[in-house]
Amino acid sequence: MNAFVRQIAVLSVLWSLCELLLPDGRQQKMVRMTVSILVMAALISAVSGLLGTQVQAVGLPALAQTVEEAGARSYARIALQAAANQTERFVISLARQAGYSARAAVAFRPDGALDHIQLWLEREPDAPPLMGEERLAQAVAERLDVRPSLIWLNGNGAGTS
């Protein structure tokens, strides 16, 4: 209980000094919030001491590891999404060069390997395409260095073999 009184006294002095020295504005608001959080923490620890319970602190190494793992997973997901977007743009560009209007959807497996590319092609009304759809699918597979069976034409899984 003696430590609690000391903590509250120190925090009160800190609070009053901050009120006197800091000008009105954002800094004072931030300092008020910080000191308020410290006072709440002191009150919680004192109340838990009176009740005979221990407040368990979160272990910083465990928390850091959890944050790092979550960050790595989210980074990997963002990297795969960026690769999928870039591959979609590349495939659509190849289809346009061949004389098609195209849409594409690229799917990667969680390990980062290409699962498949769905490619929807429409002929441009003004000009005939420079190559057939099957040949375009083979050309896309060659340029991406993947098996032609991973290129699904018009959304079907029946790509070229």
Side-chain angles (χ1 to χ4, degrees), residues 53-94:
T53 59
Q54 292 286 332
V55 177
Q56 296 292 328
V58 176
L60 244 27
L63 179 62
Q65 182 179 3
T66 303
V67 169
E68 184 178 324
E69 289 171 358
R73 283 192 306 267
S74 105
Y75 176 76
R77 190 174 350 161
I78 291 169
L80 282 177
Q81 185 62 46
N85 291 342
Q86 191 172 19
T87 305
E88 285 174 14
R89 286 192 298 271
F90 179 70
V91 169
I92 290 171
S93 171
L94 289 177

Side-chain angles (χ1 to χ4, degrees), residues 2-21:
N2 210 7
F4 166 70
V5 173
R6 236 180 291 134
Q7 283 179 345
I8 295 297
V10 169
L11 289 174
S12 298
V13 170
L14 177 67
W15 192 319
S16 58
L17 282 175
C18 290
E19 288 285 328
L20 291 172
L21 296 177

Side-chain angles (χ1 to χ4, degrees), residues 2 9 26 29 31 62 64 70-72 78 80 84 92 95 111 115 124 141 148 161:
N2 210 7
R26 290 179 68 188
K29 289 178 183 178
V31 169
I78 291 169
L80 282 177
I92 290 171
D111 65 356
D115 188 52
E124 291 290 338
S161 3

